[in-house]
Amino acid sequence: MMSEKVAIIAANGGLFDAYKVFNIATAAAASEKEVQIFFTFEGLNLIHKQGMHHLEMPAGKEHFAEGFEKANTPTIPELVEMAQELGVKFIACQMTMDVMGLTKEDFVNGIEVGGAVTFIEFAKNAAPTLTF
Amino acid sequence: MIKADHHLDAKGLACPMPVVKTKKAINDLEEGVILEVQATDKGSKADLTAWASSVGHQYLGTVEEGDVLYHYIRKGSDEPKVEKAFERIISFEELESRDGLILDVREGAEYAFGHIGGAKSIPLGELESRMKELDKDEEIYVVCRTGNRSDLAAQLLADNGFTKVYNVLPGMNGWNGKITKEF
């Protein structure tokens, strides 16, 4: 029996990372899986109110901007909204927020703040658990 | 052209949007209806096939026209849970040596993506109004996907004076013979 839970760890803050995280998350949620994403360290960029609008491509890969446009990919803020609409739960890492001096208000609405244990508890019977 | 009850325009959208839009669209539909998803994302065929089987819908098939992929999905793969009531049943093996009409009562889109050659298509929902197309003197073998809709159709025909009616079991998902496609 396949698990009905998908656990994702978002630990990086670039544009490519964001697409990997949110494409898998929305696809899983659309397939009626229960999905949680744990945002930690640079991963917090992906749900930062301002930051998510200005995610960068890896150095030297900027020329892919045209490709994104041509493929008509949804923007990251659109994917964030879509994911939340589909019931994907976002958990921001408390420890990273403390280190970086961020508060819940710096992030999109509807997130939860928790520690690693919160996520581990969810992930213990999730399959797959993915790290980006 | 394949008949669908609902159409979803997902053209120009990249992954994962075709699947996300399909999920949203299908939520509002009733069980058993046919959704046509129009997409240009080449990956949408593999994605929707996998998605449908994972969440329990019936992926029927895809037709390509130019750059556009037309995907057909029937909501819910569970057939109506009815106790099969029609007693005169027949298997595909027994059917081989007999004359008569094979009547396929699945939806038009299901028929289009694979039916027994020579079978006549009248979806269950249209049977009452189209019964006059059938001959009471001919043997009629009613088939659907799993034998449930055909059971209801056979009862309906019997109630209307058709005496030479059989329900074919198990139905098309047990059919290993040649398949005719028609679109």
Side-chain angles (χ1 to χ4, degrees), chain A residues 23 26-27 29-33 71-74 79 82 85-86, chain B residues 11-17 19-20 23-24 27 51 54-55 57:
Chain A
N23 275 27
T26 48
S31 304
E32 290 168 17
K33 308 287 185 214
N72 193 23
T73 50
L79 281 171
M82 188 84 52
E85 220 180 291
L86 289 165
Chain B
K11 295 195 289 289
L13 300 177
C15 168
M17 297 312 294
V19 165
V20 170
K23 184 211 160 37
K24 287 187 177 174
N27 276 351
W51 173 81
S54 133
V55 299
H57 302 304

Short mmCIF file of all heavy atoms in Angstrom, two decimals, chain A residues 23 26-27 29-33 71-74 79 82 85-86, chain B residues 11-17 19-20 23-24 27 51 54-55 57:
data_model
loop_
_atom_site.label_atom_id
_atom_site.label_comp_id
_atom_site.label_asym_id
_atom_site.label_seq_id
_atom_site.Cartn_x
_atom_site.Cartn_y
_atom_site.Cartn_z
N ASN A 23 6.28 22.25 -8.02
CA ASN A 23 5.70 21.37 -9.04
C ASN A 23 5.38 20.01 -8.45
O ASN A 23 4.30 19.46 -8.66
CB ASN A 23 6.66 21.20 -10.23
CG ASN A 23 6.51 22.31 -11.24
OD1 ASN A 23 6.11 23.41 -10.88
ND2 ASN A 23 6.82 22.02 -12.49
N THR A 26 2.39 20.44 -5.86
CA THR A 26 1.04 20.61 -6.43
C THR A 26 0.61 19.34 -7.15
O THR A 26 -0.56 18.96 -7.08
CB THR A 26 0.97 21.81 -7.40
OG1 THR A 26 2.07 21.74 -8.30
CG2 THR A 26 1.01 23.13 -6.67
N ALA A 27 1.54 18.70 -7.84
CA ALA A 27 1.19 17.46 -8.54
C ALA A 27 0.74 16.40 -7.54
O ALA A 27 -0.24 15.69 -7.76
CB ALA A 27 2.37 16.94 -9.36
N ALA A 29 -0.47 16.96 -4.49
CA ALA A 29 -1.74 17.37 -3.89
C ALA A 29 -2.90 17.12 -4.86
O ALA A 29 -3.98 16.69 -4.45
CB ALA A 29 -1.69 18.83 -3.47
N ALA A 30 -2.66 17.37 -6.14
CA ALA A 30 -3.71 17.13 -7.14
C ALA A 30 -4.01 15.64 -7.24
O ALA A 30 -5.09 15.24 -7.64
CB ALA A 30 -3.28 17.68 -8.50
N SER A 31 -3.04 14.82 -6.86
CA SER A 31 -3.26 13.37 -6.85
C SER A 31 -3.76 12.90 -5.49
O SER A 31 -3.64 11.73 -5.13
CB SER A 31 -1.96 12.65 -7.20
OG SER A 31 -1.47 13.10 -8.45
N GLU A 32 -4.32 13.84 -4.76
CA GLU A 32 -4.98 13.55 -3.48
C GLU A 32 -4.06 13.01 -2.40
O GLU A 32 -4.47 12.23 -1.54
CB GLU A 32 -6.20 12.66 -3.71
CG GLU A 32 -7.28 13.46 -4.42
CD GLU A 32 -8.44 12.63 -4.96
OE1 GLU A 32 -8.59 11.49 -4.52
OE2 GLU A 32 -9.17 13.17 -5.80
N LYS A 33 -2.80 13.41 -2.46
CA LYS A 33 -1.89 13.08 -1.36
C LYS A 33 -1.94 14.22 -0.35
O LYS A 33 -2.23 15.37 -0.69
CB LYS A 33 -0.45 12.97 -1.87
CG LYS A 33 -0.27 12.05 -3.04
CD LYS A 33 -0.41 10.59 -2.63
CE LYS A 33 -0.11 9.69 -3.82
NZ LYS A 33 -0.93 8.47 -3.80
N ALA A 71 7.87 28.36 -22.31
CA ALA A 71 7.13 27.19 -21.83
C ALA A 71 5.87 27.61 -21.07
O ALA A 71 5.06 26.77 -20.69
CB ALA A 71 8.01 26.31 -20.96
N ASN A 72 5.73 28.90 -20.85
CA ASN A 72 4.55 29.43 -20.16
C ASN A 72 4.37 28.79 -18.78
O ASN A 72 3.27 28.39 -18.41
CB ASN A 72 3.30 29.23 -21.01
CG ASN A 72 2.12 30.03 -20.51
OD1 ASN A 72 2.30 31.03 -19.81
ND2 ASN A 72 0.92 29.60 -20.83
N THR A 73 5.47 28.68 -18.05
CA THR A 73 5.38 28.10 -16.71
C THR A 73 4.69 29.09 -15.78
O THR A 73 4.83 30.30 -15.93
CB THR A 73 6.79 27.83 -16.14
OG1 THR A 73 7.56 29.01 -16.30
CG2 THR A 73 7.47 26.70 -16.87
N PRO A 74 3.92 28.58 -14.84
CA PRO A 74 3.32 29.48 -13.86
C PRO A 74 4.42 30.17 -13.05
O PRO A 74 5.52 29.62 -12.92
CB PRO A 74 2.49 28.55 -12.97
CG PRO A 74 2.90 27.15 -13.30
CD PRO A 74 3.60 27.17 -14.61
N LEU A 79 2.25 29.43 -8.12
CA LEU A 79 2.35 28.05 -7.64
C LEU A 79 2.15 27.96 -6.13
O LEU A 79 1.57 27.00 -5.62
CB LEU A 79 3.71 27.45 -8.03
CG LEU A 79 3.83 26.98 -9.49
CD1 LEU A 79 5.27 26.62 -9.82
CD2 LEU A 79 2.93 25.76 -9.74
N MET A 82 -1.53 28.21 -5.61
CA MET A 82 -2.13 26.96 -6.06
C MET A 82 -1.91 25.85 -5.04
O MET A 82 -2.81 25.11 -4.70
CB MET A 82 -1.44 26.58 -7.37
CG MET A 82 -2.04 25.42 -8.09
SD MET A 82 -3.39 26.00 -9.07
CE MET A 82 -2.55 27.31 -9.95
N GLU A 85 -4.07 26.36 -2.07
CA GLU A 85 -5.46 26.09 -2.43
C GLU A 85 -5.72 24.58 -2.45
O GLU A 85 -6.82 24.13 -2.13
CB GLU A 85 -5.68 26.67 -3.82
CG GLU A 85 -7.02 27.33 -4.02
CD GLU A 85 -7.09 27.86 -5.44
OE1 GLU A 85 -6.35 28.83 -5.73
OE2 GLU A 85 -7.87 27.32 -6.23
N LEU A 86 -4.73 23.82 -2.86
CA LEU A 86 -4.88 22.36 -2.93
C LEU A 86 -4.64 21.70 -1.58
O LEU A 86 -4.66 20.49 -1.46
CB LEU A 86 -3.91 21.78 -3.97
CG LEU A 86 -4.22 22.07 -5.44
CD1 LEU A 86 -3.03 21.76 -6.31
CD2 LEU A 86 -5.42 21.27 -5.92
N LYS B 11 -4.87 24.48 -22.73
CA LYS B 11 -3.89 24.71 -23.79
C LYS B 11 -2.91 25.81 -23.36
O LYS B 11 -3.29 26.78 -22.72
CB LYS B 11 -4.58 25.12 -25.09
CG LYS B 11 -5.46 24.01 -25.68
CD LYS B 11 -5.85 24.28 -27.13
CE LYS B 11 -6.84 25.40 -27.31
NZ LYS B 11 -8.19 25.08 -26.83
N GLY B 12 -1.66 25.64 -23.73
CA GLY B 12 -0.66 26.65 -23.43
C GLY B 12 -0.12 26.57 -22.01
O GLY B 12 0.76 27.33 -21.64
N LEU B 13 -0.65 25.68 -21.20
CA LEU B 13 -0.20 25.59 -19.81
C LEU B 13 0.87 24.52 -19.65
O LEU B 13 0.79 23.46 -20.27
CB LEU B 13 -1.38 25.27 -18.89
CG LEU B 13 -2.52 26.28 -18.88
CD1 LEU B 13 -3.65 25.80 -17.99
CD2 LEU B 13 -2.03 27.64 -18.43
N ALA B 14 1.85 24.83 -18.81
CA ALA B 14 2.93 23.89 -18.57
C ALA B 14 2.65 23.07 -17.31
O ALA B 14 1.83 23.46 -16.47
CB ALA B 14 4.25 24.64 -18.41
N CYS B 15 3.35 21.95 -17.19
CA CYS B 15 3.28 21.11 -16.00
C CYS B 15 3.52 21.97 -14.75
O CYS B 15 4.42 22.79 -14.78
CB CYS B 15 4.34 20.01 -16.09
SG CYS B 15 4.62 19.10 -14.58
N PRO B 16 2.81 21.80 -13.67
CA PRO B 16 1.78 20.78 -13.39
C PRO B 16 0.36 21.26 -13.65
O PRO B 16 -0.59 20.62 -13.23
CB PRO B 16 1.98 20.53 -11.90
CG PRO B 16 2.31 21.91 -11.37
CD PRO B 16 3.10 22.59 -12.46
N MET B 17 0.23 22.39 -14.36
CA MET B 17 -1.10 23.00 -14.46
C MET B 17 -2.18 22.12 -15.13
O MET B 17 -3.32 22.12 -14.66
CB MET B 17 -1.00 24.37 -15.16
CG MET B 17 -0.16 25.38 -14.38
SD MET B 17 -0.62 25.45 -12.65
CE MET B 17 -2.27 26.11 -12.83
N VAL B 19 -2.69 18.97 -14.96
CA VAL B 19 -3.21 18.03 -13.96
C VAL B 19 -3.99 18.77 -12.86
O VAL B 19 -5.06 18.35 -12.45
CB VAL B 19 -2.06 17.20 -13.34
CG1 VAL B 19 -2.51 16.51 -12.07
CG2 VAL B 19 -1.55 16.18 -14.35
N VAL B 20 -3.42 19.92 -12.43
CA VAL B 20 -4.09 20.69 -11.37
C VAL B 20 -5.47 21.16 -11.83
O VAL B 20 -6.46 21.04 -11.12
CB VAL B 20 -3.21 21.88 -10.94
CG1 VAL B 20 -3.97 22.81 -10.03
CG2 VAL B 20 -1.94 21.38 -10.24
N LYS B 23 -7.90 18.23 -12.06
CA LYS B 23 -8.39 17.84 -10.73
C LYS B 23 -9.51 18.76 -10.28
O LYS B 23 -10.53 18.33 -9.78
CB LYS B 23 -7.26 17.86 -9.71
CG LYS B 23 -7.75 17.36 -8.35
CD LYS B 23 -7.04 17.97 -7.21
CE LYS B 23 -7.79 17.87 -5.90
NZ LYS B 23 -8.53 16.68 -5.61
N LYS B 24 -9.29 20.08 -10.47
CA LYS B 24 -10.31 21.03 -10.04
C LYS B 24 -11.60 20.86 -10.83
O LYS B 24 -12.69 20.91 -10.28
CB LYS B 24 -9.80 22.46 -10.21
CG LYS B 24 -8.76 22.84 -9.18
CD LYS B 24 -8.42 24.30 -9.30
CE LYS B 24 -7.43 24.73 -8.23
NZ LYS B 24 -7.01 26.11 -8.45
N ASN B 27 -13.68 17.70 -9.89
CA ASN B 27 -14.34 17.76 -8.58
C ASN B 27 -15.82 18.11 -8.70
O ASN B 27 -16.64 17.65 -7.91
CB ASN B 27 -13.67 18.81 -7.69
CG ASN B 27 -12.46 18.23 -6.98
OD1 ASN B 27 -12.22 17.03 -7.03
ND2 ASN B 27 -11.69 19.10 -6.35
N TRP B 51 -2.10 10.03 -13.29
CA TRP B 51 -2.95 10.71 -12.30
C TRP B 51 -4.29 10.01 -12.18
O TRP B 51 -4.77 9.73 -11.08
CB TRP B 51 -3.13 12.18 -12.71
CG TRP B 51 -4.11 12.91 -11.86
CD1 TRP B 51 -3.88 13.46 -10.64
CD2 TRP B 51 -5.50 13.15 -12.17
NE1 TRP B 51 -5.04 14.03 -10.16
CE2 TRP B 51 -6.04 13.86 -11.08
CE3 TRP B 51 -6.31 12.84 -13.25
CZ2 TRP B 51 -7.36 14.26 -11.05
CZ3 TRP B 51 -7.64 13.24 -13.22
CH2 TRP B 51 -8.15 13.94 -12.12
N SER B 54 -4.09 6.81 -10.37
CA SER B 54 -3.77 6.98 -8.96
C SER B 54 -4.96 7.48 -8.14
O SER B 54 -5.14 7.10 -6.99
CB SER B 54 -2.55 7.89 -8.80
OG SER B 54 -2.74 8.87 -7.83
N VAL B 55 -5.79 8.35 -8.71
CA VAL B 55 -6.90 8.88 -7.91
C VAL B 55 -8.22 8.17 -8.21
O VAL B 55 -9.23 8.48 -7.58
CB VAL B 55 -7.08 10.40 -8.08
CG1 VAL B 55 -5.84 11.13 -7.61
CG2 VAL B 55 -7.39 10.77 -9.51
N HIS B 57 -9.84 7.55 -11.44
CA HIS B 57 -10.67 7.86 -12.60
C HIS B 57 -10.24 6.96 -13.75
O HIS B 57 -9.17 6.35 -13.72
CB HIS B 57 -10.55 9.33 -13.00
CG HIS B 57 -10.92 10.28 -11.89
ND1 HIS B 57 -12.15 10.23 -11.27
CD2 HIS B 57 -10.22 11.26 -11.29
CE1 HIS B 57 -12.18 11.16 -10.33
NE2 HIS B 57 -11.03 11.80 -10.31
#
